[in-house]
Amino acid sequence: MDSHDSKIIEKCTESYNLVLVFCLILFTVWYYMHCKKQVIVRWPVLGMLPWIIINAHRIHDWTVDISKIFGGTVIERGPFFGRLEIVYTCDPRNAKYILATNYYNFNDRQDYRDAFDILGDGLLTATSNFWTAQRRAARMTFTSKIVRNIIFHKGTKVTQHALLPLLSHLSKESSGVDLQDVLMSFPPNELAEAMDNASEAILFRHVLPISWWKLSRRLKIGSNEKKLEAAGKIIDRNIAEYIKVKREEMVAKGSKADKYEENDLLEVYMSIKDGEKDELMLAKMLTDKFFRDTCITFLIAARDTTASTLSWFFWMILKNPSVEAKILEELELIISKKNTMEKNPVIFDADDQTGMVYLHAALCESLRLYPAVPLLRKTSTSDDVFPDGTVIWPGMTVIISCYAMGRMEWVWGEDCLEFKPERWISEDGKLNPEALSKLVSFSLGPRNCVGKDMAFVLMKLVASAVIYNYHVEVLEGQNIVPTPAITLKMMNGLMVRVRGRVFP
């Protein structure tokens, strides 16, 4: 493309943006005069796009408003020039159909890959045989005993030597701290900030016309795309340095460590090529790019989701002290059944977790109201009909709101907004399979989360240690609302004060 063509495109883009800004100004004036209290207004030419922009800061709660007024499934259109046709649903029957029953009709990954280009060819964006090979490797990795031991050992080490000592210091100082920052990464660092920026930027790609954000990306205009590009450079640099160091360590001590305590997940992944037979997978695993894509995929899938879920979990139990008391009672029962003297502070081991039924239920209840991944996005490839009768045609963008689903009376009953772990427990005192089947925050079907079980293991490890050893108090005057991002974090954090528990 020569300079003349570039200038023409730039002028067209400027004109396009000026027209859009002018339309939005007119819309804003009309909005405040006529329909400020309405949930959706379909604007001529622009469709519902202005409404998405106006509600962008509260996109997840907006999906709840839509569902309560228009029902479980809504079809909307964006601007005529953006080819944006959205099917929004929070109906669990539709979610199961899209994610599992008729998965292959909603497995067109190109738009998804484009939106998540920062992930490269990782497990979340890969397709065809390469995805099959990655999925197999990931499943074998996360279900292997050595990896489960590595993850639990690392989690225990961080909890024992970093998290609990920090909480102990804070309890003596009686100072407040942002618990979400502690759980995400403490102190804040360059990589963590870049991950947060990328997460927020990617969300807006899901609700804007594809042609719009792709043009902005190509011409490097718009704060959203600039923020994502800057975040990507920081993430790439940090991961590249980590892979380089890890390769050097493996050369120094051999491809396999003598003890699992000395390994980490990336090292295990770098070693599994010995048993891999897929030629494409083997070729990819010779490159740093494969491990770069794998690292960032696991960072987004594990770090953000686990930490954000724990943040919302503590917020909910602190608002419901009776739930905290029942969890503490369950943990004390586990301790009482042991014959050994417990050290102080107490950290529960892997065998103890089988008795943490109520704690597990409380985590499920947190995920129901505050799902780690609040929106799931798919694209239809052919004509279809949802279980609720909604007719779908090829190319439509399908948005599943897990966030709204957890707040619908017709799904969970009149007490849907109450925090009740009991809804996840059967009369026999075990977890209720029927209720668990409606938990879609880990997705369903072929692309369900391979690390789901280990996520619960880590969350119960941290939650049990914190609750048993400390009482956490929420500081007053906070505005706790979700951040508009692909993972459901708290926009303003969670300021708390920590006190050590006194046992008789």
Side-chain angles (χ1 to χ4, degrees):
M1 181 182 296
D2 57 29
S3 59
H4 178 69
D5 291 336
S6 298
K7 290 180 180 179
I8 292 176
I9 292 176
E10 186 175 352
K11 288 183 178 180
C12 290
T13 303
E14 290 176 355
S15 300
Y16 168 85
N17 289 334
L18 286 173
V19 171
L20 181 60
V21 169
F22 180 70
C23 290
L24 288 176
I25 291 173
L26 288 179
F27 171 80
T28 302
V29 174
W30 176 74
Y31 162 70
Y32 279 102
M33 291 178 62
H34 299 285
C35 54
K36 185 177 180 180
K37 295 183 179 180
Q38 295 186 37
V39 174
I40 292 179
V41 173
R42 293 141 181 112
W43 186 248
V45 181
L46 296 177
M48 67 177 295
L49 179 60
W51 225 246
I52 293 176
I53 296 174
I54 286 174
N55 288 281
H57 68 288
R58 57 180 300 272
I59 190 74
H60 303 305
D61 286 309
W62 184 47
T63 65
V64 178
D65 297 339
I66 293 173
S67 299
K68 288 182 177 180
I69 293 176
F70 297 100
T73 306
V74 181
I75 296 179
E76 288 294 339
R77 294 189 177 185
F80 78 94
F81 51 81
R83 298 184 297 107
L84 181 64
E85 295 174 320
I86 297 177
V87 185
Y88 159 81
T89 185
C90 68
D91 191 322
R93 298 171 300 170
N94 293 346
K96 183 178 180 181
Y97 182 81
I98 296 164
L99 300 173
T101 307
N102 201 24
Y103 158 79
Y104 292 101
N105 189 38
F106 301 92
N107 192 36
D108 181 3
R109 310 295 290 177
Q110 190 55 54
D111 288 348
Y112 189 89
R113 284 169 57 85
D114 290 344
F116 281 94
D117 54 4
I118 195 172
L119 299 183
D121 293 318
L123 182 61
L124 295 178
T125 51
T127 58
S128 305
N129 294 336
F130 186 40
W131 171 77
T132 302
Q134 283 202 69
R135 175 78 178 187
R136 182 183 65 253
R139 185 170 58 248
M140 291 175 59
T141 300
F142 279 96
T143 57
S144 68
K145 184 176 181 180
I146 185 171
V147 169
R148 296 174 74 89
N149 286 340
I150 288 172
I151 293 176
F152 189 83
H153 173 76
K154 295 290 185 182
T156 300
K157 187 175 181 180
V158 171
T159 302
Q160 183 175 10
H161 299 296
L163 177 60
L164 294 185
L166 173 62
L167 296 181
S168 176
H169 171 74
L170 292 172
S171 67
K172 295 173 183 177
E173 296 292 325
S174 298
S175 55
V177 67
D178 186 338
L179 185 59
Q180 180 174 249
D181 270 356
V182 170
L183 295 170
M184 284 284 183
S185 61
F186 191 87
N189 57 69
E190 180 187 52
L191 178 60
E193 184 178 352
M195 295 287 290
D196 291 340
N197 288 338
S199 177
E200 293 179 23
I202 289 172
L203 175 73
F204 289 100
R205 284 183 170 185
H206 287 292
V207 296
L208 295 176
I210 296 174
S211 59
W212 187 346
W213 67 257
K214 280 190 175 181
L215 183 62
S216 298
R217 179 183 63 181
R218 181 181 179 185
L219 299 178
K220 297 183 178 181
I221 58 176
S223 59
N224 195 63
E225 291 302 315
K226 288 180 180 178
K227 181 166 66 174
L228 185 56
E229 182 183 20
K233 290 179 179 178
I234 294 172
I235 292 170
D236 285 348
R237 185 179 71 250
N238 279 269
I239 291 179
E241 292 174 358
Y242 179 62
I243 292 173
K244 180 177 181 292
V245 170
K246 183 53 60 178
R247 286 195 183 279
E248 292 173 351
E249 289 179 355
M250 291 181 68
V251 170
K253 66 180 181 181
S255 61
K256 295 182 180 179
D258 295 330
K259 298 180 181 180
Y260 69 80
E261 289 89 347
E262 299 172 359
N263 289 346
D264 63 13
L265 190 57
L266 177 60
E267 187 168 338
V268 173
Y269 239 76
M270 286 182 165
S271 302
I272 60 175
K273 63 179 182 295
D274 297 336
E276 182 58 49
K277 296 180 180 179
D278 186 276
E279 292 184 2
L280 177 59
M281 184 73 166
L282 282 171
K284 294 282 189 179
M285 294 183 73
L286 295 175
T287 67
D288 281 356
K289 183 181 183 305
F290 171 82
F291 295 110
R292 176 268 181 205
D293 296 346
T294 299
C295 279
I296 189 173
T297 295
F298 285 161
L299 277 172
I300 287 181
R303 172 245 183 200
D304 284 5
T305 55
T306 302
S308 63
T309 297
L310 282 170
S311 299
W312 291 110
F313 164 79
F314 281 111
W315 162 244
M316 293 308 298
I317 66 167
L318 297 177
K319 287 176 58 180
N320 297 270
S322 62
V323 173
E324 182 185 22
K326 290 180 180 178
I327 294 174
L328 188 58
E329 182 181 347
E330 183 177 67
L331 297 177
E332 290 174 341
L333 180 62
I334 293 172
I335 293 294
S336 68
K337 292 181 179 179
K338 290 188 172 186
N339 296 322
T340 58
M341 183 68 71
E342 291 294 330
K343 297 180 180 179
N344 187 29
V346 174
I347 298 180
F348 296 84
D349 57 40
D351 293 334
D352 294 332
Q353 294 203 1
T354 57
M356 299 180 184
V357 177
Y358 194 82
L359 174 55
H360 193 113
L363 288 166
C364 289
E365 185 71 342
S366 294
L367 283 165
R368 179 182 72 85
L369 290 169
Y370 297 99
V373 182
L375 298 175
L376 301 175
R377 180 179 181 272
K378 300 290 181 180
T379 302
S380 61
T381 57
S382 61
D383 294 333
D384 211 333
V385 180
F386 285 168
D388 67 356
T390 303
V391 177
I392 306 300
W393 52 89
M396 296 186 77
T397 297
V398 180
I399 302 293
I400 303 172
S401 176
C402 305
Y403 185 86
M405 189 185 302
R407 288 165 165 73
M408 295 297 106
E409 288 188 12
W410 52 275
V411 178
W412 295 99
E414 294 181 357
D415 60 355
C416 63
L417 297 182
E418 296 180 29
F419 188 75
K420 292 179 59 177
E422 288 78 8
R423 74 175 81 242
W424 299 90
I425 302 176
S426 303
E427 293 181 358
D428 60 2
K430 299 180 180 179
L431 293 172
N432 187 340
E434 182 180 353
L436 290 172
S437 68
K438 294 190 287 186
L439 186 64
V440 299
S441 56
F442 288 96
S443 194
L444 302 170
R447 285 189 179 263
N448 68 329
C449 178
V450 294
K452 174 183 176 181
D453 292 340
M454 286 310 303
F456 273 107
V457 167
L458 288 175
M459 289 190 293
K460 286 192 283 188
L461 167 66
V462 173
S464 60
V466 173
I467 292 173
Y468 190 81
N469 294 287
Y470 298 97
H471 174 64
V472 183
E473 299 174 346
V474 177
L475 300 185
E476 296 182 359
Q478 299 184 69
N479 182 27
I480 308 298
V481 293
T483 295
I486 57 173
T487 51
L488 199 72
K489 297 187 286 291
M490 296 176 174
M491 185 180 296
N492 305 309
L494 179 62
M495 294 300 298
V496 301
R497 184 175 290 110
V498 180
R499 293 190 293 107
R501 292 198 184 275
V502 179
F503 297 96

